[in-house]
Amino acid sequence: NSFRRRKTKMSKAARTIKNVSKLAGTAPVKSFGGVVKAEDPHVQELKYGIKPTNTREYDQFSKARLVDLGELPHGEIPEALKFSRPYDESKLANGLKVCTEYWPSKLATIGVFIKAGSRNESIETSGVSHFLEHLHFKGTANRSRVKLESEIENLGGHLNAYTSRETTLYHIQVPKENVSKAVEILGDILNNSLYNKNQIEVERETILSELEETTGNADEVMIENAHYNSFRDHMMGQPILGSRENIGLISQDMIKEFKDTHYIAPRMVMVGCGDVQHQELVDLAEKHFGKVSGESPAGTTIKNQDTPAFSAGTMYMHDDDLPSTYVASFFKAPGWNDEGYYPAMLLQRIIGDYDPMTYKEINKPANNYRGILTYLPKMISLQKFTTQYTPYSDVGLFGHITATHEVECRSAVRHSLMTAANYANNVAQHEVYHGRNKLYHELTQLETGSSLCQVIGHQQLYWGRRVSRSEVAQRIAHITPEMLQHFANEWFYDAEFTLTAWGPVMNVQGMGPYKFLKWNTCPQQIDTAKYHLKFD
């Protein structure tokens, strides 16, 4: 009886140690037949009713290899991410690259990526890349706008496009038997569009209306103004759509010159995803894109190839009619080709976003193991807190956008500046697990043709090769808390930043000049030499 009482009164710490040791495979595992040693080869059969041919290799359903908080050992990735679909790529004689990732499907997605965007404009031609994208839907020498729309509808397809600061994408999704027609349509709109003056005037009004709509979207306003505040002396800081004044001045000659200069084969990538045969797509690309020029016309150059200088500072946009104060704080961050690209991706997932409505949901997985939830919920009027990481070819931005009542906007500024810098002091292992698993989940969700098409296209434009999800997962799996500390110390701790505020901003301005705000990037004094590490 005394033994039973002692056993019943086992401390909580002892029970925790026992459970952790069981997860790690160091404790006996109970089965229906009694106690089985952890090294017993039949442990899998007893626990799960199955007996893998090799318990060391086929441990997908086994908890024996889990460590710490039930996670895989360092450097290992989930079984589902160890497999990649068949992938092929070829290059035409003119320099256009053709890539395909195949899987059995009733649909096929074809995309054409061009390495051209608002970065390649000038102050006089700001907005021309987006204007050009619109005109490619307004008819060609072979088909009118109405006929183009009718043909796509009859194919059961969907044609779309978008322009960013460095790239432009045109993609179409059709049933697999209509791939040849889809490539022909893409070739027609990109090679035979007319750009006549009447179409330009009609589309000018459409783009002005689109610009008016974006000014009502708080996120769009903050992102565009944060870019301007961060890259004031470079075209990277100018809006993608252009300004209202510039849109009214864009001419036919500007549009044709931009197209002839940037829409050349070496700066283009064609991607096919879904039920697309590689050789078939190569033949179709040769037929419809084989005559695309391999170089820009004489006398023209690709503008703004220099690395943008990050211009630290503050910018306040007064609008007392807004019910909330929006604050955007951004640091200079790694670009696509920097060794800090993957740590930045992981840190963005670790910090994550905060929504007071979802935070109230009980046992929501997204609310577990997150450092920001120790202080953000204390801000009663906080409406949102988002973490943004936007990489470009040679630079990037990492920061936060918050929306709160003007009474608490000072707290929003402090938290947005110190959150990333805090990770230079300490990165908890459980937060790394949380961010890593979130990235793993995102990788497994890349299933649609349009999403994979965009991933492959951007990888080809920036890296010149396809990086499989297995490789991405492996790189993420090898990032340690110490690496993230070094990364945060290098990029965010006591670093220059930009602060952009919109709305009732008097309280933000009352915090003092830039040098006083910068103290928030030094949340604690740390030994910087301790984290002077290098990534392998």
Side-chain angles (χ1 to χ4, degrees):
N1 291 336
S2 61
F3 171 75
R4 289 179 180 175
R5 282 197 296 272
R6 288 197 299 272
K7 184 176 181 180
T8 303
K9 294 179 180 179
M10 181 187 295
S11 68
K12 183 178 179 181
R15 289 197 300 271
T16 303
I17 294 173
K18 182 178 179 181
N19 291 336
V20 172
S21 64
K22 183 180 292 186
L23 287 175
T26 58
V29 181
K30 288 187 177 181
S31 69
F32 297 109
V35 176
V36 180
K37 293 182 179 179
E39 60 270 16
D40 193 319
H42 299 290
V43 65
Q44 303 296 335
E45 181 180 12
L46 292 169
K47 288 175 66 181
Y48 299 103
I50 60 174
K51 183 179 180 180
T53 56
N54 188 326
T55 56
R56 294 291 181 183
E57 297 180 5
Y58 296 90
D59 52 9
Q60 179 178 357
F61 305 103
S62 172
K63 295 182 180 179
R65 294 183 58 76
L66 301 184
V67 297
D68 293 339
L69 301 171
E71 296 295 328
L72 289 170
H74 174 74
E76 291 196 21
I77 64 175
E79 194 74 16
L81 292 177
K82 296 179 181 178
F83 305 94
S84 298
R85 296 188 175 107
Y87 172 81
D88 290 292
E89 65 178 59
S90 303
K91 184 177 287 188
L92 304 186
N94 60 0
L96 186 144
K97 187 175 286 189
V98 181
C99 313
T100 58
E101 187 157 302
Y102 173 84
W103 67 89
S105 174
K106 294 183 179 180
L107 296 174
T109 303
I110 311 296
V112 177
F113 289 80
I114 299 97
K115 195 172 184 180
S118 61
R119 173 177 185 156
N120 307 117
E121 301 166 350
S122 63
I123 291 295
E124 294 75 22
T125 62
S126 178
V128 68
S129 59
H130 179 254
F131 210 123
L132 175 61
E133 174 225 309
H134 273 245
L135 290 176
H136 281 143
F137 291 82
K138 302 307 172 185
T140 69
N142 302 316
R143 43 171 67 92
S144 64
R145 178 184 62 82
V146 175
K147 185 178 180 181
L148 174 64
E149 294 173 354
S150 177
E151 285 190 26
I152 294 171
E153 184 177 348
N154 292 336
L155 288 175
H158 176 70
L159 176 64
N160 206 348
Y162 72 80
T163 305
S164 67
R165 282 181 162 78
E166 291 187 321
T167 61
T168 304
L169 165 64
Y170 302 85
H171 64 101
I172 183 170
Q173 189 173 57
V174 295
K176 62 180 180 180
E177 57 270 14
N178 294 330
V179 167
S180 60
K181 189 66 175 178
V183 177
E184 187 272 325
I185 289 176
L186 286 173
D188 191 28
I189 65 174
L190 292 176
N191 297 322
N192 304 315
S193 289
L194 298 175
Y195 317 125
N196 67 54
K197 295 182 179 180
N198 291 334
Q199 291 174 341
I200 291 173
E201 293 306 319
V202 171
E203 204 57 29
R204 202 187 306 276
E205 296 301 320
T206 303
I207 295 175
L208 286 171
S209 299
E210 184 179 346
L211 181 63
E212 190 68 27
E213 290 178 8
T214 59
T215 57
N217 185 318
D219 288 335
E220 291 286 343
V221 172
M222 294 308 296
I223 289 172
E224 290 292 355
N225 283 282
H227 274 81
Y228 170 74
N229 200 13
S230 301
F231 306 115
R232 291 175 181 249
D233 300 323
H234 198 277
M235 284 304 297
M236 288 285 284
Q238 297 301 312
I240 296 173
L241 272 62
S243 65
R244 176 175 290 276
E245 294 76 15
N246 265 75
I247 292 172
L249 298 174
I250 290 176
S251 65
Q252 185 184 50
D253 291 338
M254 292 179 183
I255 293 168
K256 288 184 176 181
E257 180 183 352
F258 187 89
K259 193 264 182 182
D260 294 339
T261 303
H262 300 88
Y263 281 52
I264 56 177
R267 298 176 68 85
M268 299 173 71
V269 176
M270 179 179 289
V271 181
C273 292
D275 206 321
V276 182
Q277 299 298 327
H278 181 70
Q279 191 56 48
E280 178 189 4
L281 188 61
V282 171
D283 294 340
L284 290 169
E286 183 66 49
K287 179 179 179 181
H288 300 291
F289 289 85
K291 295 182 179 179
V292 175
S293 175
E295 58 183 10
S296 300
T300 61
T301 58
I302 307 296
K303 297 182 176 64
N304 304 315
Q305 296 292 84
D306 57 307
T307 302
F310 184 79
S311 53
T314 59
M315 183 171 74
Y316 303 112
M317 302 179 291
H318 292 264
D319 190 346
D320 292 336
D321 292 332
L322 287 180
S324 303
T325 300
Y326 295 89
V327 175
S329 61
F330 282 92
F331 297 88
K332 181 182 178 182
W336 278 82
N337 296 293
D338 193 282
E339 66 177 5
Y341 172 78
Y342 286 104
M345 281 181 59
L346 181 56
L347 187 60
Q348 181 196 15
R349 272 68 175 188
I350 289 175
I351 299 174
D353 302 335
Y354 171 74
D355 184 345
M357 298 306 296
T358 58
Y359 174 72
K360 295 176 182 178
E361 298 180 21
I362 299 175
N363 295 328
K364 187 176 178 64
N367 293 331
N368 297 331
Y369 311 121
R370 297 181 58 199
I372 62 172
L373 298 184
T374 61
Y375 49 85
L376 289 184
K378 298 177 183 178
M379 296 179 60
I380 300 175
S381 66
L382 184 64
Q383 299 162 20
K384 70 174 181 179
F385 178 96
T386 62
T387 305
Q388 310 261 349
Y389 171 50
T390 309
Y392 297 105
S393 58
D394 50 6
V395 73
L397 290 177
F398 190 104
H400 309 284
I401 297 179
T402 63
T404 186
H405 191 273
E406 61 178 313
V407 174
E408 288 189 306
C409 62
R410 293 191 178 191
S411 296
V413 172
R414 294 191 187 98
H415 289 319
S416 63
L417 289 174
M418 70 173 56
T419 294
N422 260 327
Y423 286 91
N425 299 306
N426 178 60
V427 179
Q429 182 66 66
H430 63 263
E431 285 196 272
V432 177
Y433 288 150
H434 173 81
R436 189 183 296 168
N437 289 336
K438 189 173 182 180
L439 261 172
Y440 290 160
H441 177 72
E442 292 176 14
L443 291 173
T444 59
Q445 296 304 304
L446 289 175
E447 295 291 335
T448 64
S450 58
S451 60
L452 274 170
C453 180
Q454 294 183 51
V455 169
I456 296 172
H458 283 104
Q459 289 178 351
Q460 287 290 347
L461 289 179
Y462 288 112
W463 292 334
R465 69 184 183 96
R466 169 69 166 123
V467 179
S468 67
R469 65 180 189 176
S470 298
E471 181 180 342
V472 174
Q474 284 283 359
R475 291 179 178 272
I476 295 298
H478 283 85
I479 297 177
T480 63
E482 291 76 20
M483 287 182 178
L484 286 174
Q485 279 184 262
H486 164 70
F487 171 78
N489 179 51
E490 179 182 1
W491 290 93
F492 308 133
Y493 189 86
D494 195 21
E496 303 297 334
F497 64 90
T498 59
L499 182 72
T500 309
W502 179 40
V505 296
M506 290 299 295
N507 281 339
V508 180
Q509 285 184 284
M511 296 180 72
Y514 178 88
K515 64 178 182 179
F516 292 136
L517 293 172
K518 196 170 186 294
W519 278 104
N520 293 289
T521 65
C522 309
Q524 297 178 23
Q525 294 298 322
I526 65 171
D527 182 6
T528 55
K530 180 180 178 182
Y531 303 116
H532 190 67
L533 308 174
K534 277 294 181 182
F535 297 111
D536 295 332

